[in-house]
Amino acid sequence: MRKFYITYSLLTGLFIAISYKIKDDYFYLPYPNAIEYVLAFLLMLFTTVLLVWKKHRQKKVALGLASTASLLLVVNCMNYIFEWHPLNLSLPFTESQSFEVGHEPYTWQTASPVSAGYNQQDIEQYLEEIDDWERLRGLVIIKDGKLVVEKYQKGATKYSAFNVHSVTKSILSALTGLTVQESYLRSENEFILPYFSEYQDRALNPSKGKLTVAHLLSMRGGFTGWDGPQNVEQVMLNEEVSESKLGQEFKYFTGSQMVLSAMITKATKTSTKEFAQEKLFKPLGIQCGFWRKVDGYYAGGDETYFTARDLARFGELYLNRGKINGVQLLDSSWVEKSFTNYTSESKAFRTLGCYEEVGYGFSWWLLKHNGNLIYTARGKGGQHILIVPEQKVVAVILQEWNMRKDFESENAYLCKLLSLITKENMRTAYYTENE
C-alpha cells in the first residue's frame, strides 16, 4: 500500500499546484470554481480504475476520498485567503454563476409602471417576451427614484449577485473622483509613475512617465497591447505605450483600471475595497457582494459581484449628478467629466441596431438612441447600468455572461427596452391619472 500513499500524495499536491496556477493567473475564465471540481473528478476516476484490482479495495476508496477532500479543502482555503472568487458561488456548468448575498439589497420605494408614465400593457407584453431571453437573469428599472419594474428569471432573485465585469470600471471611476475630492490625488491630471517607485529603476518605456489618471480613465493611455487580464506589474513593466497615441487615440485596455486601483490603494493608504466601502457603498446603502484580488490589489477593471438593486442605486448617484438623499456625495463636476466625450470618433465604436456608440468618458460609454444620449456602465456578457437623464431613468440588466451569446435577439430585446424607457413610449395616461 505504500506506493498508493505516495501516488495519492503526489497527485494531490500536483492538483493543488495546478489549481493555484489556473486560479491565480486565469481568473477571467468563465467558471472560476471549475478547476477544483474537474481535478476532484479525475482523482475519483483514478480511484475507480484502481478498484479493478481487488486487493486493498477499501483502503483505495479511503485514500481516494481523503485525497479528494484534501484537494477541495486546500483549494477553498486558498480561495478565501487570496480572494479569488466567492466561496458560495454556484457550482460550475449550472444555469447561473452567481451567489446569494447575505445582506439586504437596497430597498427601493415602488411605483406602478402606469404611475411612472408607462403603458401597462406594453410593459406586461415586454416582460412576457423576455422570458425567452436565455441569458437574462435580472432586469430593474428605476424612474424618479422609484422601482417600477423588477424581473428575475432562471432561478435568480433580488439577492443574486453576479460578476458585472467592466461595470467595475465605472465604479472605480467614481472612487477615483472621490480620491480627488478627498485630496488624496490633486486632480485627474496627476501623473501615474510617481506612485510606482518600485518600477522606476527598471527599463520603462519613457512614455509611461507622461501617463495621467485622465488618460487611464478615458482609455487613451496609448497602450499598444491587447486588452486582457493584466496585473499591475505586467502593465508597468511589459506593456508598451505609444507616445503618438497617448491622449489621442481610444483603445479599450482593462490594465488601465488595474493600475488605477493600485494607485488609489497607494494614495489612500488603504485598500480600494475598504475605501469604496467607507466613501461610496456605505453612504449609498449598498454592498459589494465580492471583489476579487489580483496580485495584492483589488481588480479595477472587472471581477466585482453586485445585485441588480444595488447597481441601480449606484446608477442613481450618477443620474442625480452625484447627489444622494440631498447630500452631494460625489462632486457634480466629476460626474460631468465622467459623461464628457473624450473620443468623438473611433474605429472601435459600433452601430448596434437602434443605437450607436458615439464616445467614451471617464469609464462610461456614451450611446446615441433616437438622437438622445444615454450613458452606460457596461460589462462583458451584457451587464448594463443604463442612465437616461431626460427621463430620470436608471435601468440595470444582468446576464449570464458565460453562456453562448445570441447577439441578434439579445440586442433586439435591449432596443425594445430602450424604446420603452425613453420618451417615445410615454403615454397621456400618466397625465390623465395625475390631473
Side-chain angles (χ1 to χ4, degrees), residues 298-352:
Y298 287 97
D302 52 12
E303 300 298 313
T304 57
Y305 290 71
F306 285 91
T307 65
R309 285 190 171 202
D310 283 349
L311 279 184
R313 178 64 167 170
F314 173 72
E316 189 182 41
L317 175 69
Y318 273 77
L319 177 68
N320 293 335
R321 301 287 168 173
K323 187 176 285 188
I324 213 80
N325 297 336
V327 176
Q328 196 71 46
L329 177 61
L330 180 62
D331 197 305
S332 61
S333 65
W334 187 264
V335 176
E336 193 66 37
K337 290 173 183 177
S338 299
F339 286 169
T340 296
N341 187 0
Y342 300 101
T343 306
S344 58
E345 191 175 315
S346 173
K347 292 179 181 178
F349 296 162
R350 304 164 296 173
T351 297
L352 301 167

Side-chain angles (χ1 to χ4, degrees), residues 65 74 78 104 139 207 224 249 262 286 357-358 402:
L65 291 174
V74 171
M78 290 194 296
E104 186 68 30
L139 170 66
S207 297
T224 59
E249 184 176 302
I286 68 175
E357 300 167 346
V358 295
N402 58 314

Side-chain angles (χ1 to χ4, degrees), residues 30-34 37 85-101 134-138 152-165 305-307 383 398-404:
Y31 299 100
N33 56 342
Y37 292 103
H85 67 71
L87 293 181
N88 55 338
L89 190 65
S90 299
L91 291 176
F93 313 113
T94 54
E95 278 197 329
S96 181
Q97 276 282 282
S98 63
F99 69 96
E100 300 295 285
V101 297
E134 280 299 316
R135 296 195 307 126
L136 182 69
R137 294 297 178 267
Y152 302 99
Q153 50 195 44
K154 302 292 192 299
T157 72
K158 70 176 183 178
Y159 297 101
S160 299
F162 288 85
N163 189 340
V164 298
H165 294 286
Y305 290 71
F306 285 91
T307 65
Q383 325 310 325
L398 292 178
Q399 296 189 66
E400 195 59 56
W401 72 278
N402 58 314
M403 294 174 62
R404 198 176 74 143

Side-chain angles (χ1 to χ4, degrees), residues 109-120 123 141-149 390-394 420-423 425-434:
Q109 292 184 26
T110 59
S112 68
V114 171
S115 68
Y118 298 117
N119 183 290
Q120 184 71 30
I123 294 293
I141 300 175
I142 308 298
K143 180 166 172 54
D144 295 317
K146 294 182 179 179
L147 178 68
V148 295
V149 172
E390 292 79 6
Q391 304 304 319
K392 298 182 180 178
V393 168
V394 176
L420 287 170
I421 64 177
T422 53
K423 195 169 185 177
N425 195 63
M426 302 299 283
R427 304 298 192 199
T428 56
Y430 169 72
Y431 303 101
T432 303
E433 182 181 82
N434 288 276

